[in-house]
Amino acid sequence: MKIKTKIEKVKIDYKGSKVTANKLTLTSEIPIDIDTAWSKVQTCALLNFVTKGKVRFKPTGGEFPEIWKEGNTVTTKMVVYGFIPFGGLHTLYFEKIDNENKILQTREWDDSAKVWNHKITLKKITDFTIMYEDEIVIYGGILTGLITWWAKSFYRHRQNRWQLVANEFVIG
């Protein structure tokens, strides 16, 4: 599977100042129908599955909701590679869940990643293939480059795990 990756410098507002952030974009084709993919994207079960092996989430309120809802905010602690706590308390605000255009967008932040704005976009290519795109705007002060480097590996891992999700529907 080919994953296209692009990193661009962008100016964003952060607490009243213009700062330079990185916009990381990863795109791949996934052999799954768009409606199945879209229903999966909206679940915490998918998040836990695609991040397995890289990040484990420990929601502060006990459990994440089964289905993400626009306007909701959840907080979690993250454990990287199964044993390294990272970022302190991580907050995810579900800014947009657009069923028509198949876009899910969060605004996220923690002690290290001051800005982690993530947009997932699904586009139908054929009845059984989609274009899946992760776009993440990352700002972490002097850690921006390091966080972006790790995020690139993390989102490649996620998109590779999506192939397993797709195979479940081809086989099953």
Side-chain angles (χ1 to χ4, degrees), residues 2 6 12 15 44-45 49 59 67 72 78 86 89 91 99 110 116 118 129 131 133 154 158 160 164:
K2 178 149 175 53
K6 180 169 65 171
I12 64 167
K15 294 190 174 181
C44 85
F49 181 81
I67 304 290
N72 278 5
M78 295 187 305
F86 183 79
L89 196 60
T91 302
N99 290 309
D110 59 39
W116 182 288
H118 181 205
T129 308
M131 184 280 302
E133 180 177 271
F154 175 62
R158 285 173 59 129
N160 282 323
L164 298 174

PDB file of all heavy atoms in Angstrom, residues 2 6 12 15 44-45 49 59 67 72 78 86 89 91 99 110 116 118 129 131 133 154 158 160 164:
ATOM      1  N   LYS A   2       0.524   2.186  -0.844  1.00  0.00           N
ATOM      2  CA  LYS A   2       1.284   3.429  -0.925  1.00  0.00           C
ATOM      3  C   LYS A   2       0.569   4.514  -0.115  1.00  0.00           C
ATOM      4  O   LYS A   2      -0.612   4.755  -0.302  1.00  0.00           O
ATOM      5  CB  LYS A   2       1.414   3.857  -2.388  1.00  0.00           C
ATOM      6  CG  LYS A   2       2.141   5.170  -2.556  1.00  0.00           C
ATOM      7  CD  LYS A   2       2.889   5.213  -3.864  1.00  0.00           C
ATOM      8  CE  LYS A   2       3.535   6.526  -4.136  1.00  0.00           C
ATOM      9  NZ  LYS A   2       4.392   7.071  -3.133  1.00  0.00           N
ATOM     10  N   LYS A   6       2.944  14.436   3.075  1.00  0.00           N
ATOM     11  CA  LYS A   6       3.422  15.788   2.796  1.00  0.00           C
ATOM     12  C   LYS A   6       3.471  16.558   4.113  1.00  0.00           C
ATOM     13  O   LYS A   6       2.565  16.442   4.943  1.00  0.00           O
ATOM     14  CB  LYS A   6       2.462  16.461   1.810  1.00  0.00           C
ATOM     15  CG  LYS A   6       2.843  17.873   1.429  1.00  0.00           C
ATOM     16  CD  LYS A   6       2.016  18.401   0.251  1.00  0.00           C
ATOM     17  CE  LYS A   6       0.567  18.532   0.563  1.00  0.00           C
ATOM     18  NZ  LYS A   6      -0.220  19.231  -0.448  1.00  0.00           N
ATOM     19  N   ILE A  12      -0.289  29.784  12.139  1.00  0.00           N
ATOM     20  CA  ILE A  12      -1.560  29.658  12.851  1.00  0.00           C
ATOM     21  C   ILE A  12      -1.577  30.636  14.023  1.00  0.00           C
ATOM     22  O   ILE A  12      -0.528  31.132  14.437  1.00  0.00           O
ATOM     23  CB  ILE A  12      -1.791  28.210  13.368  1.00  0.00           C
ATOM     24  CG1 ILE A  12      -0.722  27.820  14.403  1.00  0.00           C
ATOM     25  CG2 ILE A  12      -1.854  27.215  12.222  1.00  0.00           C
ATOM     26  CD1 ILE A  12      -1.040  26.551  15.181  1.00  0.00           C
ATOM     27  N   LYS A  15      -2.921  31.363  21.068  1.00  0.00           N
ATOM     28  CA  LYS A  15      -3.022  32.256  22.228  1.00  0.00           C
ATOM     29  C   LYS A  15      -2.677  33.695  21.863  1.00  0.00           C
ATOM     30  O   LYS A  15      -1.892  34.354  22.547  1.00  0.00           O
ATOM     31  CB  LYS A  15      -2.150  31.747  23.368  1.00  0.00           C
ATOM     32  CG  LYS A  15      -2.629  30.420  23.924  1.00  0.00           C
ATOM     33  CD  LYS A  15      -1.918  30.049  25.196  1.00  0.00           C
ATOM     34  CE  LYS A  15      -2.535  28.787  25.768  1.00  0.00           C
ATOM     35  NZ  LYS A  15      -1.912  28.384  27.011  1.00  0.00           N
ATOM     36  N   CYS A  44     -15.177   4.969  18.794  1.00  0.00           N
ATOM     37  CA  CYS A  44     -13.960   4.874  19.597  1.00  0.00           C
ATOM     38  C   CYS A  44     -13.304   3.511  19.391  1.00  0.00           C
ATOM     39  O   CYS A  44     -12.091   3.380  19.511  1.00  0.00           O
ATOM     40  CB  CYS A  44     -14.238   5.165  21.065  1.00  0.00           C
ATOM     41  SG  CYS A  44     -14.808   3.787  22.033  1.00  0.00           S
ATOM     42  N   ALA A  45     -14.078   2.489  19.031  1.00  0.00           N
ATOM     43  CA  ALA A  45     -13.510   1.157  18.782  1.00  0.00           C
ATOM     44  C   ALA A  45     -12.491   1.225  17.642  1.00  0.00           C
ATOM     45  O   ALA A  45     -11.420   0.625  17.718  1.00  0.00           O
ATOM     46  CB  ALA A  45     -14.610   0.148  18.457  1.00  0.00           C
ATOM     47  N   PHE A  49      -8.450   0.500  17.742  1.00  0.00           N
ATOM     48  CA  PHE A  49      -7.878  -0.520  16.863  1.00  0.00           C
ATOM     49  C   PHE A  49      -6.740   0.042  16.012  1.00  0.00           C
ATOM     50  O   PHE A  49      -5.670  -0.554  15.939  1.00  0.00           O
ATOM     51  CB  PHE A  49      -8.955  -1.132  15.955  1.00  0.00           C
ATOM     52  CG  PHE A  49      -8.396  -2.193  15.057  1.00  0.00           C
ATOM     53  CD1 PHE A  49      -8.198  -3.485  15.536  1.00  0.00           C
ATOM     54  CD2 PHE A  49      -8.032  -1.905  13.758  1.00  0.00           C
ATOM     55  CE1 PHE A  49      -7.651  -4.464  14.727  1.00  0.00           C
ATOM     56  CE2 PHE A  49      -7.472  -2.886  12.936  1.00  0.00           C
ATOM     57  CZ  PHE A  49      -7.285  -4.165  13.424  1.00  0.00           C
ATOM     58  N   PRO A  59      -9.048   6.997  28.983  1.00  0.00           N
ATOM     59  CA  PRO A  59      -9.994   8.108  29.166  1.00  0.00           C
ATOM     60  C   PRO A  59     -10.165   8.460  30.636  1.00  0.00           C
ATOM     61  O   PRO A  59     -10.225   7.575  31.490  1.00  0.00           O
ATOM     62  CB  PRO A  59     -11.301   7.563  28.585  1.00  0.00           C
ATOM     63  CG  PRO A  59     -10.905   6.406  27.728  1.00  0.00           C
ATOM     64  CD  PRO A  59      -9.649   5.842  28.321  1.00  0.00           C
ATOM     65  N   ILE A  67     -19.831   6.196  20.189  1.00  0.00           N
ATOM     66  CA  ILE A  67     -19.877   6.969  18.944  1.00  0.00           C
ATOM     67  C   ILE A  67     -19.502   8.415  19.272  1.00  0.00           C
ATOM     68  O   ILE A  67     -20.011   8.992  20.230  1.00  0.00           O
ATOM     69  CB  ILE A  67     -21.313   6.960  18.334  1.00  0.00           C
ATOM     70  CG1 ILE A  67     -21.804   5.522  18.105  1.00  0.00           C
ATOM     71  CG2 ILE A  67     -21.368   7.773  17.051  1.00  0.00           C
ATOM     72  CD1 ILE A  67     -21.118   4.778  16.996  1.00  0.00           C
ATOM     73  N   ASN A  72     -18.819  17.405  21.321  1.00  0.00           N
ATOM     74  CA  ASN A  72     -18.346  16.751  22.547  1.00  0.00           C
ATOM     75  C   ASN A  72     -16.859  16.989  22.761  1.00  0.00           C
ATOM     76  O   ASN A  72     -16.099  17.135  21.811  1.00  0.00           O
ATOM     77  CB  ASN A  72     -18.588  15.237  22.486  1.00  0.00           C
ATOM     78  CG  ASN A  72     -20.011  14.861  22.854  1.00  0.00           C
ATOM     79  OD1 ASN A  72     -20.861  15.716  23.063  1.00  0.00           O
ATOM     80  ND2 ASN A  72     -20.272  13.574  22.911  1.00  0.00           N
ATOM     81  N   MET A  78      -2.460   9.462  27.495  1.00  0.00           N
ATOM     82  CA  MET A  78      -1.952   8.622  26.424  1.00  0.00           C
ATOM     83  C   MET A  78      -0.697   7.902  26.895  1.00  0.00           C
ATOM     84  O   MET A  78       0.150   8.490  27.560  1.00  0.00           O
ATOM     85  CB  MET A  78      -1.618   9.458  25.190  1.00  0.00           C
ATOM     86  CG  MET A  78      -2.822  10.106  24.557  1.00  0.00           C
ATOM     87  SD  MET A  78      -2.462  10.920  22.997  1.00  0.00           S
ATOM     88  CE  MET A  78      -1.137  12.022  23.441  1.00  0.00           C
ATOM     89  N   PHE A  86       2.700  10.149  27.872  1.00  0.00           N
ATOM     90  CA  PHE A  86       3.136  11.279  27.045  1.00  0.00           C
ATOM     91  C   PHE A  86       2.079  12.370  27.028  1.00  0.00           C
ATOM     92  O   PHE A  86       0.897  12.086  26.846  1.00  0.00           O
ATOM     93  CB  PHE A  86       3.419  10.824  25.605  1.00  0.00           C
ATOM     94  CG  PHE A  86       3.946  11.936  24.747  1.00  0.00           C
ATOM     95  CD1 PHE A  86       5.271  12.321  24.818  1.00  0.00           C
ATOM     96  CD2 PHE A  86       3.094  12.636  23.896  1.00  0.00           C
ATOM     97  CE1 PHE A  86       5.753  13.366  24.056  1.00  0.00           C
ATOM     98  CE2 PHE A  86       3.566  13.680  23.124  1.00  0.00           C
ATOM     99  CZ  PHE A  86       4.903  14.039  23.199  1.00  0.00           C
ATOM    100  N   LEU A  89      -2.498  15.356  30.237  1.00  0.00           N
ATOM    101  CA  LEU A  89      -3.906  15.198  29.900  1.00  0.00           C
ATOM    102  C   LEU A  89      -4.132  15.676  28.465  1.00  0.00           C
ATOM    103  O   LEU A  89      -3.817  16.815  28.130  1.00  0.00           O
ATOM    104  CB  LEU A  89      -4.757  16.014  30.876  1.00  0.00           C
ATOM    105  CG  LEU A  89      -6.233  15.692  30.921  1.00  0.00           C
ATOM    106  CD1 LEU A  89      -6.460  14.232  31.334  1.00  0.00           C
ATOM    107  CD2 LEU A  89      -6.923  16.614  31.912  1.00  0.00           C
ATOM    108  N   THR A  91      -6.726  16.486  25.407  1.00  0.00           N
ATOM    109  CA  THR A  91      -8.122  16.873  25.204  1.00  0.00           C
ATOM    110  C   THR A  91      -8.466  16.797  23.727  1.00  0.00           C
ATOM    111  O   THR A  91      -7.702  17.266  22.879  1.00  0.00           O
ATOM    112  CB  THR A  91      -8.362  18.305  25.726  1.00  0.00           C
ATOM    113  OG1 THR A  91      -8.018  18.342  27.119  1.00  0.00           O
ATOM    114  CG2 THR A  91      -9.814  18.721  25.551  1.00  0.00           C
ATOM    115  N   ASN A  99     -21.587  14.344   7.908  1.00  0.00           N
ATOM    116  CA  ASN A  99     -22.020  13.093   7.287  1.00  0.00           C
ATOM    117  C   ASN A  99     -22.103  13.185   5.767  1.00  0.00           C
ATOM    118  O   ASN A  99     -21.845  12.206   5.074  1.00  0.00           O
ATOM    119  CB  ASN A  99     -23.378  12.663   7.850  1.00  0.00           C
ATOM    120  CG  ASN A  99     -23.262  12.210   9.286  1.00  0.00           C
ATOM    121  OD1 ASN A  99     -22.433  11.381   9.619  1.00  0.00           O
ATOM    122  ND2 ASN A  99     -24.078  12.785  10.155  1.00  0.00           N
ATOM    123  N   ASP A 110      -2.495  19.081  24.386  1.00  0.00           N
ATOM    124  CA  ASP A 110      -1.999  18.575  25.664  1.00  0.00           C
ATOM    125  C   ASP A 110      -0.767  19.391  26.043  1.00  0.00           C
ATOM    126  O   ASP A 110      -0.481  20.421  25.414  1.00  0.00           O
ATOM    127  CB  ASP A 110      -1.733  17.057  25.628  1.00  0.00           C
ATOM    128  CG  ASP A 110      -0.732  16.625  24.584  1.00  0.00           C
ATOM    129  OD1 ASP A 110       0.278  17.333  24.363  1.00  0.00           O
ATOM    130  OD2 ASP A 110      -0.934  15.561  23.977  1.00  0.00           O
ATOM    131  N   TRP A 116      -3.040  20.250  18.028  1.00  0.00           N
ATOM    132  CA  TRP A 116      -3.047  18.988  17.264  1.00  0.00           C
ATOM    133  C   TRP A 116      -4.437  18.934  16.637  1.00  0.00           C
ATOM    134  O   TRP A 116      -5.363  18.334  17.176  1.00  0.00           O
ATOM    135  CB  TRP A 116      -2.814  17.801  18.194  1.00  0.00           C
ATOM    136  CG  TRP A 116      -2.740  16.457  17.555  1.00  0.00           C
ATOM    137  CD1 TRP A 116      -3.762  15.739  17.004  1.00  0.00           C
ATOM    138  CD2 TRP A 116      -1.567  15.645  17.413  1.00  0.00           C
ATOM    139  NE1 TRP A 116      -3.307  14.537  16.546  1.00  0.00           N
ATOM    140  CE2 TRP A 116      -1.957  14.452  16.789  1.00  0.00           C
ATOM    141  CE3 TRP A 116      -0.234  15.804  17.771  1.00  0.00           C
ATOM    142  CZ2 TRP A 116      -1.058  13.423  16.502  1.00  0.00           C
ATOM    143  CZ3 TRP A 116       0.653  14.785  17.489  1.00  0.00           C
ATOM    144  CH2 TRP A 116       0.242  13.617  16.863  1.00  0.00           C
ATOM    145  N   HIS A 118      -6.838  17.715  13.910  1.00  0.00           N
ATOM    146  CA  HIS A 118      -6.868  16.543  13.035  1.00  0.00           C
ATOM    147  C   HIS A 118      -8.152  16.520  12.219  1.00  0.00           C
ATOM    148  O   HIS A 118      -9.237  16.627  12.775  1.00  0.00           O
ATOM    149  CB  HIS A 118      -6.764  15.278  13.902  1.00  0.00           C
ATOM    150  CG  HIS A 118      -6.771  14.011  13.132  1.00  0.00           C
ATOM    151  ND1 HIS A 118      -7.188  12.831  13.694  1.00  0.00           N
ATOM    152  CD2 HIS A 118      -6.404  13.708  11.868  1.00  0.00           C
ATOM    153  CE1 HIS A 118      -7.076  11.863  12.792  1.00  0.00           C
ATOM    154  NE2 HIS A 118      -6.609  12.379  11.679  1.00  0.00           N
ATOM    155  N   THR A 129     -13.754   1.226  -2.975  1.00  0.00           N
ATOM    156  CA  THR A 129     -12.456   1.840  -2.677  1.00  0.00           C
ATOM    157  C   THR A 129     -12.672   3.299  -2.288  1.00  0.00           C
ATOM    158  O   THR A 129     -13.441   4.007  -2.931  1.00  0.00           O
ATOM    159  CB  THR A 129     -11.521   1.792  -3.907  1.00  0.00           C
ATOM    160  OG1 THR A 129     -11.460   0.458  -4.397  1.00  0.00           O
ATOM    161  CG2 THR A 129     -10.110   2.244  -3.547  1.00  0.00           C
ATOM    162  N   MET A 131     -10.552   7.039  -0.865  1.00  0.00           N
ATOM    163  CA  MET A 131      -9.344   7.788  -0.573  1.00  0.00           C
ATOM    164  C   MET A 131      -9.524   8.228   0.873  1.00  0.00           C
ATOM    165  O   MET A 131     -10.540   8.817   1.236  1.00  0.00           O
ATOM    166  CB  MET A 131      -9.208   8.999  -1.498  1.00  0.00           C
ATOM    167  CG  MET A 131      -7.903   9.787  -1.330  1.00  0.00           C
ATOM    168  SD  MET A 131      -7.852  10.934   0.077  1.00  0.00           S
ATOM    169  CE  MET A 131      -9.226  11.995  -0.254  1.00  0.00           C
ATOM    170  N   GLU A 133      -7.813  10.349   3.989  1.00  0.00           N
ATOM    171  CA  GLU A 133      -6.804  11.378   4.250  1.00  0.00           C
ATOM    172  C   GLU A 133      -6.845  11.809   5.706  1.00  0.00           C
ATOM    173  O   GLU A 133      -7.907  12.099   6.249  1.00  0.00           O
ATOM    174  CB  GLU A 133      -7.046  12.592   3.360  1.00  0.00           C
ATOM    175  CG  GLU A 133      -6.029  13.709   3.562  1.00  0.00           C
ATOM    176  CD  GLU A 133      -6.266  14.864   2.619  1.00  0.00           C
ATOM    177  OE1 GLU A 133      -5.709  14.825   1.507  1.00  0.00           O
ATOM    178  OE2 GLU A 133      -7.029  15.779   2.997  1.00  0.00           O
ATOM    179  N   PHE A 154       3.125   7.630  13.370  1.00  0.00           N
ATOM    180  CA  PHE A 154       1.856   7.257  13.993  1.00  0.00           C
ATOM    181  C   PHE A 154       0.735   7.155  12.964  1.00  0.00           C
ATOM    182  O   PHE A 154      -0.007   6.166  12.943  1.00  0.00           O
ATOM    183  CB  PHE A 154       1.516   8.297  15.066  1.00  0.00           C
ATOM    184  CG  PHE A 154       0.180   8.122  15.729  1.00  0.00           C
ATOM    185  CD1 PHE A 154      -0.112   6.982  16.465  1.00  0.00           C
ATOM    186  CD2 PHE A 154      -0.774   9.122  15.652  1.00  0.00           C
ATOM    187  CE1 PHE A 154      -1.334   6.840  17.105  1.00  0.00           C
ATOM    188  CE2 PHE A 154      -2.003   8.992  16.288  1.00  0.00           C
ATOM    189  CZ  PHE A 154      -2.286   7.843  17.011  1.00  0.00           C
ATOM    190  N   ARG A 158      -1.514   4.039  11.564  1.00  0.00           N
ATOM    191  CA  ARG A 158      -2.986   4.055  11.552  1.00  0.00           C
ATOM    192  C   ARG A 158      -3.527   3.656  10.189  1.00  0.00           C
ATOM    193  O   ARG A 158      -4.452   2.847  10.095  1.00  0.00           O
ATOM    194  CB  ARG A 158      -3.507   5.452  11.908  1.00  0.00           C
ATOM    195  CG  ARG A 158      -3.410   5.808  13.365  1.00  0.00           C
ATOM    196  CD  ARG A 158      -3.787   7.252  13.600  1.00  0.00           C
ATOM    197  NE  ARG A 158      -5.128   7.551  13.159  1.00  0.00           N
ATOM    198  CZ  ARG A 158      -6.052   8.159  13.893  1.00  0.00           C
ATOM    199  NH1 ARG A 158      -5.776   8.514  15.128  1.00  0.00           N
ATOM    200  NH2 ARG A 158      -7.242   8.412  13.405  1.00  0.00           N
ATOM    201  N   ASN A 160      -2.038   1.963   7.835  1.00  0.00           N
ATOM    202  CA  ASN A 160      -1.760   0.536   7.607  1.00  0.00           C
ATOM    203  C   ASN A 160      -2.763  -0.335   8.356  1.00  0.00           C
ATOM    204  O   ASN A 160      -3.226  -1.355   7.828  1.00  0.00           O
ATOM    205  CB  ASN A 160      -0.331   0.182   8.023  1.00  0.00           C
ATOM    206  CG  ASN A 160       0.686   0.625   6.997  1.00  0.00           C
ATOM    207  OD1 ASN A 160       0.441   0.566   5.797  1.00  0.00           O
ATOM    208  ND2 ASN A 160       1.835   1.075   7.461  1.00  0.00           N
ATOM    209  N   LEU A 164      -6.277  -3.591   7.572  1.00  0.00           N
ATOM    210  CA  LEU A 164      -6.815  -4.743   8.292  1.00  0.00           C
ATOM    211  C   LEU A 164      -8.328  -4.607   8.480  1.00  0.00           C
ATOM    212  O   LEU A 164      -9.060  -5.592   8.386  1.00  0.00           O
ATOM    213  CB  LEU A 164      -6.130  -4.896   9.648  1.00  0.00           C
ATOM    214  CG  LEU A 164      -4.629  -5.160   9.626  1.00  0.00           C
ATOM    215  CD1 LEU A 164      -4.059  -5.151  11.038  1.00  0.00           C
ATOM    216  CD2 LEU A 164      -4.319  -6.463   8.917  1.00  0.00           C
TER     217      LEU A 164
END
